[in-house]
Amino acid sequence: MPELPEVETIVRDLRPFLVGRRIGRVTLSHDDVLRGVTRRRLVRRLTGSTILAVTRRAKHAVLEMEKARLIVQPGMTGSLMVHRRALTPDEAKYAVLRAELGRGQELVYRDVRRLGTLLLLDAKAWTRYTRAIGPEPLDDDFTVEQFVSGLGRSRQAIKKVIMDQRHLAGVGNIYANEALFSAGIDPSKPALLLTPEDHIKLHAEIRRILNAAIASNGTTFRDYRRGTGDTGSFQLELQVYGREGEPCRVCGTRLSGTHAIDGRTTVFCHRCQH
DNA sequence: ACGAGGTCCTGCGAGC
DNA sequence: TGCTCGCAGGACCTCG
């Protein structure tokens, strides 16, 4: 679920509540969200640590502490928020990680499907981890040239390539669909067949849409909630995602849908996109 | 090297 | 009403 704009929203919402706070009691309901760390080690490392910074890399929220970083990858249904009162039974039911912050506040990672993951990385492991992820599309120095070199000469569908986190950070299924529509590019077009004009348009549209989605606090299609617990509102601005069979907002053509690209829901206008 | 497909999980809505 | 089936915003793995 959460793609770059959703995680960016979460991180911005949580930052004022988390920076400088010391973590008290920590509980974990399921071990299956952990990667490369045991429950025992995670709990021991978090307990008593002070959160120094809350940042985002790709689709991950990063809590930086003195000796380690907690990486939260929300997957499809993960959410992260600070509760300022006792959790309701429903909130508690899917709370995977709970970390007390004092003053009756609690940081909660909630994940219904538990496809999300938690990692605990030291400085060296973090460097290795972040180096394997592609460039941040919203960085000031993310140029068209950098974008094109990241695409490689792949014959794979452009949609799959821009969703590949090794090539580009943070773009998931919703924003890949939207950016390709706005750029007028067929999602199944092999990356190596994109024209220089395609590159310029797609680079610009990815950035424009991600920024617009952040301004709307993300897309709540179903589960996504901001760090405040509220929904985002970019779903009101989606042009193609979730609109299969409905008329294209530009030309009125019935929007097509397929699962042929990497098995993911793809919606596009066969008249506007080539 | 690449594409296809399965896997991890649970909930929900459609259809019977 | 109640059941089963397919599908869901992600990422990783194996197989051919």
Side-chain angles (χ1 to χ4, degrees):
Chain A
M1 158 192 53
E3 306 180 27
L4 185 155
E6 288 73 33
V7 178
E8 182 62 28
T9 301
I10 289 170
V11 161
R12 289 182 187 184
D13 287 339
L14 293 187
R15 196 172 282 141
F17 290 97
L18 293 182
V19 173
R21 302 295 290 277
R22 187 170 182 277
I23 298 172
R25 201 166 83 96
V26 173
T27 52
L28 183 76
S29 70
H30 293 76
D31 289 348
D32 54 11
V33 297
L34 301 180
R35 294 291 180 280
V37 62
T38 62
R39 167 197 298 257
R40 187 181 156 81
R41 188 171 138 75
L42 179 85
V43 170
R44 209 165 40 191
R45 272 297 187 145
L46 292 181
T47 307
S49 286
T50 298
I51 299 168
L52 303 177
V54 180
T55 58
R56 178 192 60 76
R57 172 74 170 113
K59 304 173 188 173
H60 319 321
V62 182
L63 271 60
E64 303 183 16
M65 295 156 294
E66 303 95 327
K67 292 178 182 171
R69 284 173 170 82
L70 174 68
I71 317 300
V72 180
Q73 206 180 89
M76 300 274 251
T77 54
S79 66
L80 203 53
M81 60 187 82
V82 172
H83 290 260
R84 303 156 83 175
R85 46 156 181 75
L87 272 61
T88 64
D90 183 61
E91 287 167 346
K93 184 175 179 189
Y94 299 106
V96 178
L97 181 76
R98 300 175 63 161
E100 292 180 7
L101 299 168
R103 301 180 215 161
Q105 298 182 10
E106 189 174 11
L107 171 67
V108 176
Y109 174 63
R110 180 181 191 271
D111 192 347
V112 172
R113 287 174 68 188
R114 292 200 313 284
L115 295 178
T117 52
L118 302 177
L119 295 86
L120 191 70
L121 304 177
D122 62 19
K124 196 176 163 188
W126 167 249
T127 302
R128 210 179 313 130
Y129 189 80
T130 191
R131 208 167 39 202
I133 304 172
E136 286 290 333
L138 297 185
D139 277 0
D140 291 338
D141 58 6
F142 179 64
T143 60
V144 177
E145 292 70 31
Q146 196 181 1
F147 178 54
V148 173
S149 72
L151 300 181
R153 289 157 298 280
S154 174
R155 284 180 311 189
Q156 296 194 6
I158 184 61
K159 175 163 179 272
K160 185 175 171 168
V161 174
I162 60 174
M163 288 174 65
D164 187 330
Q165 300 301 296
R166 294 169 300 184
H167 295 316
L168 183 64
V171 174
N173 201 29
I174 292 180
Y175 299 111
N177 276 295
E178 295 297 310
L180 288 162
F181 172 76
S182 296
I185 299 168
D186 183 333
S188 63
K189 189 171 183 176
L192 57 71
L193 295 185
L194 264 66
T195 65
E197 187 193 4
D198 286 339
H199 291 141
I200 292 167
K201 273 195 198 162
L202 187 55
H203 171 267
E205 289 306 319
I206 287 171
R207 286 165 58 97
R208 184 183 68 77
I209 286 167
L210 292 176
N211 275 317
I214 291 170
S216 296
N217 302 304
T219 301
T220 299
F221 213 77
R222 194 170 181 160
D223 303 283
Y224 164 70
R225 293 294 182 276
R226 313 174 47 173
T228 58
D230 299 316
T231 59
S233 62
F234 197 70
Q235 63 277 11
L236 302 174
E237 297 172 55
L238 295 176
Q239 301 297 302
V240 288
Y241 186 82
R243 299 192 62 245
E244 178 183 350
E246 294 177 40
C248 171
R249 296 200 201 279
V250 172
C251 75
T253 300
R254 188 183 147 90
L255 294 174
S256 309
T258 177
H259 284 85
I261 303 170
D262 208 25
R264 309 295 299 279
T265 305
T266 300
V267 186
F268 63 102
C269 174
H270 67 77
R271 185 163 166 198
C272 293
Q273 296 173 255
H274 299 282

